[in-house]
Amino acid sequence: MNQDKSLSDIAVIGLGVMGKNLALNIADNHFNVSVFDIDSDKVQAAVDAGQTFGHQRIRAVDSMTNLLASLTTPRRILLSVPAGKIVDVICQQLIDAGIEPDDIVIDSGNSLWTDTIARTKQYQSQLQFFAVAVSGGEEGARVGPSLMPSGSMQAWQHIAPIFTRIAAQVDPITFKPIVRQAGEVTTADSEPCCSYIGPAGSGHYVKMVHNGIEYADMQLICEAYDLLSKAANLTALQIADIFDGWAQGRLSSYLMEISADILRQQDPLTGKPLVEIIADQAGQKGTGLWTAVSSLQLGVPAPTIAEAVYARAMSAQKSLRVQLSQQYNPVDVVALSEIELAQLIGALEQALYAAKVCCYAQGFELLAKQASEQDWQLNYAEIAKLWRAGCIIRASFLQDIVQAYASQENQHLLQAEFFVSSLNNAQSAWRQVVITAVTNGVPIPSISASLAYFDSYRSAVLPANLLQAQRDYFGAHTFKRIDQPEQSYHFNWSEPEQGLEPR
Ligand code: 6PG
């Protein structure tokens, strides 16, 4: 902390929901923070909000020049603005206002990771461009988000004291999130959900994969809801009870808890469950799509995540779905006895768990492949640690991933002994769930894509031998023999007597 109390330790530019709450969180932790937004009402609202918590540490500034003058040097400036062009607009304004090459501009938006690499290079002689990707929404920003910082280590050392304090914290003994109230300072001796990820772009890549997992995790829960509602005919309240039960066990997660809460909410206008009144067309801002695109580009199978993106696209096709639902014969739902219902609920817990393991395995495989492409030294146990609290995918199960990577750094998650044993136990129930969904005509794309992913990875032999032959047949693309793996061959399929031709 600086000695000159008239100067601020950091500035926040952009006082939307995230920026304002990050500023309050920083002030709670005894740092002075200058705040700026083009909307002066938002600046005043941030200052007023700070005062309701009894401190004067939030200081309004009215121009970029005054913002620079209000800070200790090297300056720390946090941008909380939407990803895209606006980041460059503000960097240029700061350059015009006289920012210096040692000053650090920190992008906290969901920027595309390649944009972050480009910006770091573009501005290197004018300012230090750094990224701290943030997860946790409004509440996280206020009392502890999960933070994924990346860029120059020198810049990180200068800003780390602030970011490790404002981050969500985990109890080092119980590994449970520590709950902090607005206005409280972060307690010492806890593990911050914030650790340096690596060079420019790596933190935003990790956040992008977090969001891909977020899409998949949300979709998996939605599929469980759909199956329980359509195949088992359960009400929203009955499903809420089931989700609450699951949230007590290994499926304990923020997304499971909020889903139960949502299912209990009544619509104030009709008295029906609010969830049934909400239009079934999903929005998206694109980070899940980026993850799926990245998986295709890298050749890393991530079907659970990709299916979650497709499910949002499919949901948006409402009018075509309504028309087709009338053109095709309905599937008769098979009535369940009480015992069968109990079995389905138990099996669904296993299927959800197994599918979730697969979606994390896909996310971590993506990280590993991109790390090797970019020459990043990622620490997977540390990444799993910083997702244990504060972020949207926070879940008790992350601690098992931490342990899996702590015991063997470079393994695929499906190879970790703990998960081998849990998936072996779950697989029969998981198959039953997919059979039930297929029999009743209920689409569960992410649960079933996870099973296909699992079955593919546990298959020593896949039918790509026939595929290679097809490619060679129509395009002379060649194939390799299992008994001569180094040599490529073309077979003369139209004149078999000519035999094999080494290529
Ligand atoms: C987070 C979230 C957040 C994301 C929203 C909306 O980690 O806090 O991932 O960054 O923007 O969840 O995402 P979609 O609009 O794409 O669903």
Side-chain angles (χ1 to χ4, degrees):
M1 243 176 298
N2 73 82
Q3 298 309 310
D4 182 352
K5 298 287 177 234
S6 68
L7 292 177
S8 296
D9 303 284
I10 187 167
V12 176
I13 298 179
L15 299 172
V17 170
M18 294 301 282
K20 177 180 159 190
N21 284 295
L22 285 169
L24 288 164
N25 186 352
I26 293 169
D28 283 350
N29 280 291
H30 301 173
F31 297 103
N32 294 329
V33 50
S34 297
V35 290
F36 179 74
D37 193 288
I38 40 165
D39 181 346
S40 57
D41 289 348
K42 287 190 177 162
V43 177
Q44 195 52 49
V47 173
D48 293 347
Q51 280 167 1
T52 63
F53 289 96
H55 52 61
Q56 311 293 322
R57 296 187 193 95
I58 298 188
R59 290 101 178 254
V61 287
D62 57 5
S63 70
M64 291 298 186
T65 312
N66 289 341
L67 178 138
L68 293 179
S70 74
L71 294 169
T72 57
T73 54
R75 299 178 180 89
R76 294 172 274 216
I77 301 165
L78 177 65
L79 307 189
S80 184
V81 296
K85 272 270 129 234
I86 185 76
V87 175
D88 293 303
V89 170
I90 293 173
C91 285
Q92 193 53 52
Q93 289 173 351
L94 287 166
I95 292 164
D96 296 343
I99 195 167
E100 292 177 48
D102 277 354
D103 294 342
I104 304 159
V105 174
I106 306 143
D107 179 15
S108 67
N110 271 334
S111 293
L112 183 60
W113 66 283
T114 45
D115 287 352
T116 305
I117 294 177
R119 287 187 177 118
T120 307
K121 286 199 185 111
Q122 180 185 342
Y123 297 117
Q124 64 188 355
S125 60
Q126 293 153 310
L127 53 85
Q128 294 200 63
F129 193 83
F130 196 86
V132 176
V134 178
S135 177
E138 179 176 358
E139 190 202 343
R142 184 67 189 89
V143 290
S146 169
L147 300 173
M148 290 148 262
S150 62
S152 99
M153 179 50 105
Q154 195 198 355
W156 172 238
Q157 280 162 348
H158 190 55
I159 64 172
I162 300 180
F163 286 91
T164 47
R165 286 293 285 278
I166 67 163
Q169 310 284 321
V170 168
D171 185 306
I173 313 274
T174 64
F175 307 124
K176 294 219 158 48
I178 295 173
V179 181
R180 173 159 65 93
Q181 303 302 326
E184 286 177 9
V185 65
T186 298
T187 50
D189 303 330
S190 48
E191 291 184 359
C193 292
C194 170
S195 50
Y196 179 74
I197 303 280
S202 59
H204 268 136
Y205 193 81
V206 169
K207 174 67 194 341
M208 182 197 79
V209 169
H210 163 285
N211 280 30
I213 294 172
E214 172 186 308
Y215 273 48
D217 205 355
M218 292 166 78
Q219 175 63 22
L220 292 172
I221 295 172
C222 291
E223 290 174 14
Y225 157 71
D226 207 26
L227 192 62
L228 290 171
S229 142
K230 289 180 183 154
N233 210 19
L234 297 187
T235 64
L237 282 181
Q238 287 170 317
I239 300 171
D241 285 343
I242 293 168
F243 283 9
D244 274 339
W246 289 348
Q248 303 306 312
R250 61 186 176 167
L251 287 178
S252 154
S253 70
Y254 170 71
L255 286 170
M256 187 58 81
E257 282 165 24
I258 67 162
S259 303
D261 250 20
I262 291 166
L263 292 173
R264 291 193 190 289
Q265 188 60 53
Q266 263 190 2
D267 172 34
L269 299 183
T270 61
K272 290 184 179 168
L274 181 58
V275 71
E276 290 169 17
I277 306 297
I278 296 175
D280 60 336
Q281 289 163 283
Q284 54 183 311
K285 296 203 192 74
T287 45
L289 168 76
W290 293 346
T291 315
V293 168
S294 181
S295 79
L296 290 168
Q297 286 170 335
L298 291 171
V300 170
T304 313
I305 295 171
E307 284 296 346
V309 182
Y310 283 134
R312 291 195 187 195
M314 188 61 92
S315 79
Q317 299 278 358
K318 179 73 175 177
S319 64
L320 182 57
R321 286 192 287 116
V322 170
Q323 283 169 35
L324 292 175
S325 73
Q326 286 150 8
Q327 282 177 280
Y328 284 91
N329 299 338
V331 176
D332 290 332
V333 171
V334 185
L336 298 176
S337 68
E338 243 177 70
I339 292 173
E340 286 166 335
L341 174 61
Q343 278 167 348
L344 176 63
I345 295 168
L348 199 47
E349 190 273 344
Q350 308 246 38
L352 262 189
Y353 179 79
K356 193 166 157 147
V357 173
C358 289
C359 113
Y360 276 81
Q362 293 162 27
F364 278 95
E365 189 180 343
L366 268 171
L367 294 180
K369 187 67 195 284
Q370 194 62 273
S372 102
E373 296 282 309
Q374 305 296 327
D375 209 12
W376 297 332
Q377 308 301 314
L378 297 185
N379 182 327
Y380 305 109
E382 281 301 315
I383 292 169
K385 272 188 186 174
L386 59 83
W387 288 343
R388 290 177 303 179
C391 67
I392 304 296
I393 63 171
R394 61 187 183 261
S396 57
F397 141 100
L398 257 315
Q399 185 58 30
D400 298 326
I401 300 184
V402 172
Q403 268 148 12
Y405 282 119
S407 65
Q408 208 180 327
E409 178 61 12
N410 284 323
Q411 65 185 341
H412 192 281
L413 212 52
L414 292 187
Q415 291 176 299
E417 257 174 60
F418 178 84
F419 292 116
V420 171
S421 131
S422 11
L423 293 201
N424 266 334
N425 288 337
Q427 64 166 310
S428 145
W430 191 5
R431 291 180 201 291
Q432 279 312 314
V433 166
V434 174
I435 291 167
T436 304
V438 171
T439 311
N440 289 291
V442 181
I444 51 164
S446 283
I447 294 178
S448 47
S450 300
L451 182 56
Y453 169 85
F454 171 70
D455 279 337
S456 298
Y457 258 145
R458 43 154 226 94
S459 295
V461 176
L462 287 171
N465 48 349
L466 174 57
L467 193 132
Q468 282 298 83
Q470 291 164 335
R471 293 178 67 240
D472 190 56
Y473 195 111
F474 61 67
H477 293 300
T478 75
F479 55 83
K480 293 211 164 90
R481 297 174 56 92
I482 53 174
D483 51 4
Q484 292 173 38
E486 300 308 321
Q487 177 68 51
S488 292
Y489 285 99
H490 167 59
F491 184 74
N492 200 325
W493 300 93
S494 51
E495 291 166 274
E497 59 286 355
Q498 292 195 10
L500 290 164
E501 202 184 299
R503 286 274 173 101

